[in-house]
Amino acid sequence: MAKFQKPLIDRPGILDPMPGDPEGYVTNDGMWAAVPIIGCKTFAIINNGSVVHEARNYTSAKSYILKEIKKSKKK
């Protein structure tokens, strides 16, 4: 049996089936956005052009945005 070498993959994250947090989140109307902060894993939540909150990760940022949208629709 011949031994085969493993292929050299310079960017292994491309082949990861469970990637990390996406680059950000924007609502369909463009009023809310979650943007990653450079140098850390937190996300800045932007509403109508101003930063209103900082979330620890992507899932908490998205849930915060959806909760605030739901609050504003009730009013």
Side-chain angles (χ1 to χ4, degrees), residues 8 11 15 28 32-33 42 47 55 58-59:
L8 175 65
R11 294 181 0 190
L15 302 176
N28 288 337
W32 289 90
T42 59
N47 179 24
Y58 175 79
T59 54

Side-chain angles (χ1 to χ4, degrees), residues 13-27:
I14 293 174
L15 302 176
D16 189 9
M18 298 293 287
D21 291 336
E23 293 295 317
Y25 176 76
V26 179
T27 57

